[in-house]
Amino acid sequence: MAELHSPISPSLYPFLTIMLTTGGLATTALLYVSDVVQSKHQRPLVQDVSLAAVSSVLLGFGVFFLLLWCGVYV
Amino acid sequence: MTAIFLIVKGEQEVIITSATQEINLNTQAVITSVQYSLLNEGSQTVNHFIACSDIKHAQQRAFFEGVQGDAEADDPPEMKVVPGTPAYPAGVSCDKFTLTEPLKSGKRTTVETYAVYTKLTHPRPAEIEQGETQRVVYEGHHYLLSPYFIKSQTTKVKLPSSQVDAYTKEKPTQLSGNTLTYGPYGDHKPFSLLAQQSRMRVHYETNAPFLEALTLTRDIEVSHWGNVYVEERYKLQHTGARHKGTWSRLDYMTKAVMGVGNVIPEFKAVLPAGAHSIYYRDAIGNVSTSRTSPSLASVEVNLRPRYPLLGGWKVDFIFGWSLPLHQAVRKTKGGGYELAVQFSPSITGVVVQDMDIQVALPEGATHLRPSAPHPFTNTTSKRFSYLDLFGRPLLNLHAKNLVAVADDELTVSYRLSSFNLLLEPGLLIGAFAIAFGIAIAFSRSELSLGGSSKGSRRLSGSGRESEAGNVQSAEEVVGSLTKQIAERDKVLGSLDNVQMGTSKDDVRRIVEPLLKDILRKLRQLGPALEATTGFRKAAYQQVLDREASLHKAALQRFDGRSYTGASYTHSKVTEAQLDLLDTKVNDLRAEMTMNLNIIKQGVSGGRTSAISQ
């Protein structure tokens, strides 16, 4: 019987946390900046929603790996 | 006493040629191992072996194992206990084992039984003062209780020291050093009266720690992302001779040897090799008196409570650690998983009265099947822990009267799909998505405190039936538009008064919000204008675009930089710029008038009024 290992090696948790959280915050920033800069009639809803989707995925995973890195194995 | 017993055919033909019993009294638990040499004198093959003991002892038995063959060999085959004890004389309890190699007629074999009993020794005197040695009494039998004819038997009692106060004598008896030897004794019939009635009693000195866990809870939480948490909560008591009189720490510290008398200063725990993040705390907080010594095979932890334990004293604490996932969980064939952790507590030398084990498996685990070497009862419930949607399955096992033995493993097999593993980050993603969704909804909605202007009222229905209404509302539209243009005129009028040397910031501060506001109101007219007959959306859009570009251009003039992302400068307005401003203002006025005319034409001029550039 083989040993069970985590799907992602725990040594990768710090790297993934930083990358994903930074990326998530960057796309969130893009979302909010586009809200301020462009008027909402010029901005298609698809752009907003797709940016929000990407941000939520990146931030969701980023916070998840942050929890794992801190030792809160969820 | 009449001995009423059931004779199973074939048993009377097996005899024990020699039996050696070793009773080990070194620790608080009594360990008895008996080696039988069997000979099948009958004609039939015998498949079972029956081992018996005093019923009072059997009730205190924490561990019992039978092995056939040479005990020195590696992993000799373990014999299975056949459930349902046969009926034998009162005061005797027997267990039936299935021999791994059936004993053929005329053959010999050896069988060894190994039993661990708890609470068989009692301190006498029951109370002692600090510094006195502890003395306990063990009561047993001189002779083995057995349904077989015994040709020769010897009992060796191993004592922790050579200090023995009293012991019963049954010739031949010999005490040499730490060992008390009874025997060898000759022929004994099955369940001979002498075997049942001849009692052994040894009163000896011992400083072995008598440590009992009144309650013990082990909490194991498994996360497939890399970690298994184990936490133990102990309530330990010193169950040796109770302490009476005073307790002097000075005397305790100045005694030559720690542990003289019945004092338990510390506990030793043995954890698996990869254990980390170990914590030891109690109700007050962290207990710092602990030492860890990791090695390749295990991690040994010495826990010293805040006070040493004297007879009758109790201590509560929490002791926990983490294990890397690959040390505790295995993948089984067929796609399932198996958790394997130690069943008995990590602190060595503890007798446990009641143990609760709670195993929390990842959310979505199914087909839970626990197994352990010790009998237990189990129930299943749910626990809500980090990032749980519908709860983790929690297995509650309960076991009684336990001692730590080597190689006892609790295994829980379960099934888990990878999808369940992704639900955890999925929950976070969903939470963020909802937050972003609300933010987008708010930024896109037309919320305003003052109520929307008349122009933003939506006009419904087809053109024909509400034409009258359209015309009227179109007039309203035009009216409001005129009003707005008048407002803008005012703004631009204020620009006329801009002096040379006024800070650009100030100018901007006046102009920009008003222009933006007017632009916004103009946009709000859009739906109304669209619904009016004769006004084409494209024409309206042109007007709007022109307004927007004018707006941009007007502001750009002030700082010469692009509008988006610019930071305001505090420089003053120059004369040249003032001239430009004047020009621009006049341009704007002209444009506004033109726009108004276009809209008027479009509204009242019929459906097909084409607006040419």
Side-chain angles (χ1 to χ4, degrees):
Chain A
M1 287 197 277
E3 292 176 341
L4 174 67
H5 287 268
S6 147
I8 296 171
S9 154
S11 54
L12 277 181
Y13 288 157
F15 173 75
L16 277 173
T17 306
I18 294 172
M19 288 295 128
L20 289 168
T21 318
T22 315
L25 289 173
T27 46
T28 310
L30 263 177
L31 179 65
Y32 282 113
V33 163
S34 81
D35 183 44
V36 172
V37 164
Q38 292 176 302
S39 70
K40 58 179 176 278
H41 295 276
Q42 285 180 329
R43 202 173 66 230
L45 186 65
V46 176
Q47 179 189 335
D48 266 359
V49 169
S50 64
L51 259 184
V54 170
S55 308
S56 64
V57 167
L58 288 177
L59 269 180
F61 273 113
V63 170
F64 178 73
F65 282 112
L66 176 67
L67 281 172
L68 288 180
W69 184 17
C70 292
V72 179
Y73 280 89
V74 294
Chain B
M1 184 200 286
T2 47
I4 304 156
F5 50 89
L6 197 67
I7 304 167
V8 177
K9 196 157 192 265
E11 267 170 24
Q12 271 199 314
E13 291 134 359
V14 173
I15 64 161
I16 297 173
T17 50
S18 80
T20 319
Q21 184 181 185
E22 190 181 285
I23 302 175
N24 190 325
L25 298 175
N26 282 327
T27 61
Q28 61 170 322
V30 175
I31 302 170
T32 306
S33 58
V34 190
Q35 226 179 10
Y36 302 91
S37 297
L38 302 175
L39 167 63
N40 188 354
E41 279 184 338
S43 53
Q44 294 183 335
T45 307
V46 170
N47 291 317
H48 301 290
F49 174 73
I50 297 171
C52 300
S53 56
D54 190 325
I55 199 165
K56 288 207 192 73
H57 286 207
Q59 281 163 355
Q60 299 296 123
R61 198 161 55 197
F63 180 77
F64 191 38
E65 190 181 63
V67 152
Q68 184 182 9
D70 187 3
E72 300 297 321
D74 289 327
D75 288 333
E78 193 181 307
M79 302 195 294
K80 296 269 183 294
V81 181
V82 175
T85 54
Y88 283 106
V92 173
S93 151
C94 295
D95 291 275
K96 197 171 182 183
F97 287 99
T98 311
L99 291 171
T100 45
E101 281 174 44
L103 188 62
K104 294 196 179 57
S105 159
K107 296 283 182 199
R108 292 169 189 269
T109 186
T110 54
V111 167
E112 183 165 330
T113 62
Y114 181 86
V116 180
Y117 301 93
T118 60
K119 297 182 159 156
L120 269 193
T121 53
H122 307 283
R124 292 269 182 284
E127 288 186 354
I128 60 173
E129 294 192 354
Q130 180 182 356
E132 286 182 28
T133 41
Q134 178 176 253
R135 293 180 174 79
V136 296
V137 165
Y138 167 75
E139 286 174 340
H141 292 259
H142 289 124
Y143 303 101
L144 283 168
L145 293 160
S146 176
Y148 307 107
F149 183 87
I150 306 176
K151 269 201 155 151
S152 151
Q153 57 178 296
T154 316
T155 299
K156 283 198 177 76
V157 181
K158 285 207 153 55
L159 300 161
S161 71
S162 52
Q163 303 294 325
V164 182
D165 276 8
Y167 57 96
T168 50
K169 294 177 177 56
E170 182 87 2
K171 276 203 187 138
T173 308
Q174 191 189 21
L175 172 64
S176 60
N178 287 7
T179 313
L180 183 59
T181 312
Y182 287 96
Y185 299 113
D187 293 355
H188 266 268
K189 289 205 207 102
F191 294 124
S192 65
L193 222 55
L194 197 59
Q196 289 178 53
Q197 289 178 339
S198 173
R199 302 270 168 175
M200 181 210 299
R201 188 173 187 275
V202 186
H203 190 194
Y204 59 98
E205 259 182 36
T206 176
N207 280 323
F210 275 58
L211 198 57
E212 184 177 315
L214 301 172
T215 59
L216 164 59
T217 311
R218 302 191 79 219
D219 190 309
I220 299 162
E221 191 165 311
V222 178
S223 163
H224 271 221
W225 288 99
N227 203 41
V228 172
Y229 294 106
V230 185
E231 183 176 278
E232 296 179 332
R233 292 164 186 262
Y234 287 93
K235 191 172 178 156
L236 293 179
Q237 185 179 26
H238 185 304
T239 47
R242 294 176 65 84
H243 173 70
K244 74 172 178 199
T246 55
W247 153 247
S248 159
R249 190 174 272 279
L250 186 63
D251 283 351
Y252 170 67
M253 303 272 287
T254 53
K255 280 277 193 250
V257 177
M258 283 271 237
V260 164
N262 64 338
V263 181
I264 301 178
E266 59 185 15
F267 322 120
K268 189 171 100 151
V270 177
L271 309 180
H276 62 91
S277 308
I278 302 168
Y279 56 94
Y280 170 43
R281 60 169 187 257
D282 67 1
I284 299 168
N286 178 52
V287 185
S288 58
T289 47
S290 60
R291 275 192 321 278
T292 311
S293 44
S295 70
L296 282 175
S298 65
V299 173
E300 282 186 12
V301 186
N302 261 349
L303 302 171
R304 187 184 308 221
R306 297 183 195 271
Y307 48 88
L309 286 181
L310 263 65
W313 292 9
K314 295 182 196 150
V315 70
D316 294 14
F317 57 89
I318 300 171
F319 175 50
W321 65 94
S322 291
L323 285 173
L325 182 67
H326 60 88
Q327 273 199 289
V329 183
R330 298 187 280 254
K331 276 197 275 216
T332 57
K333 294 193 187 73
Y337 303 99
E338 193 176 72
L339 167 73
V341 285
Q342 194 184 336
F343 182 70
S344 49
S346 59
I347 293 186
T348 54
V350 177
V351 165
V352 186
Q353 255 186 31
D354 273 293
M355 180 163 81
D356 280 300
I357 301 185
Q358 297 177 327
V359 182
L361 294 167
E363 205 178 23
T366 50
H367 298 94
L368 308 180
R369 259 179 269 281
S371 86
H374 199 269
F376 61 89
T377 57
N378 74 321
T379 53
T380 320
S381 58
K382 279 217 180 293
R383 167 191 287 184
F384 285 90
S385 183
Y386 307 114
L387 300 184
D388 279 345
L389 279 169
F390 44 85
R392 289 166 199 244
L394 186 71
L395 207 56
N396 298 296
L397 308 172
H398 184 81
K400 282 179 169 326
N401 196 21
L402 199 65
V403 283
V405 285
D407 293 335
D408 66 345
E409 205 176 58
L410 165 70
T411 54
V412 181
S413 68
Y414 58 98
R415 287 181 180 282
L416 185 72
S417 74
S418 329
F419 172 68
N420 285 111
L421 223 52
L422 277 178
L423 271 183
E424 286 166 345
L427 185 65
L428 283 171
I429 292 172
F432 276 114
I434 289 170
F436 281 126
I438 292 173
I440 291 174
F442 264 110
S443 79
R444 292 240 166 204
S445 69
E446 304 287 348
L447 296 174
S448 64
L449 288 171
S452 44
S453 60
K454 282 185 254 181
S456 65
R457 219 185 314 142
R458 271 187 193 281
L459 299 170
S460 62
S462 63
R464 193 173 285 278
E465 64 163 286
S466 54
E467 191 165 319
N470 275 349
V471 168
Q472 189 176 24
S473 52
E475 275 176 7
E476 281 172 4
V477 161
V478 169
S480 79
L481 194 62
T482 317
K483 199 170 62 179
Q484 281 169 24
I485 288 175
E487 273 179 9
R488 194 195 300 183
D489 223 0
K490 233 185 345 188
V491 169
L492 295 174
S494 70
L495 284 179
D496 282 341
N497 298 329
V498 169
Q499 303 287 334
M500 211 169 67
T502 315
S503 117
K504 278 190 190 174
D505 232 10
D506 289 338
V507 178
R508 217 188 166 94
R509 229 178 272 136
I510 300 164
V511 170
E512 192 176 86
L514 290 168
L515 282 179
K516 269 173 111 171
D517 186 50
I518 291 166
L519 199 59
R520 187 173 58 82
K521 284 196 183 123
L522 202 58
R523 286 216 188 92
Q524 281 175 351
L525 290 174
L529 290 172
E530 274 175 47
T532 57
T533 55
F535 192 83
R536 294 201 316 213
K537 190 176 171 187
Y540 166 69
Q541 195 59 45
Q542 279 175 5
V543 169
L544 204 58
D545 287 347
R546 208 178 309 125
E547 289 292 342
S549 63
L550 279 176
H551 177 207
K552 234 196 239 183
L555 290 168
Q556 269 175 355
R557 279 292 155 195
F558 285 104
D559 55 14
R561 284 190 228 174
S562 78
Y563 174 58
T564 56
S567 59
Y568 297 153
T569 59
H570 289 278
S571 58
K572 312 286 183 202
V573 175
T574 60
E575 188 171 10
Q577 282 175 325
L578 263 184
D579 288 340
L580 273 170
L581 183 61
D582 280 339
T583 324
K584 264 297 147 195
V585 164
N586 291 331
D587 282 346
L588 273 174
R589 278 208 185 96
E591 289 278 356
M592 274 169 7
T593 321
M594 193 168 78
N595 289 341
L596 184 57
N597 289 335
I598 290 172
I599 291 169
K600 273 183 183 163
Q601 272 173 22
V603 163
S604 55
R607 290 173 193 271
T608 56
S609 71
I611 296 158
S612 59
Q613 283 297 316

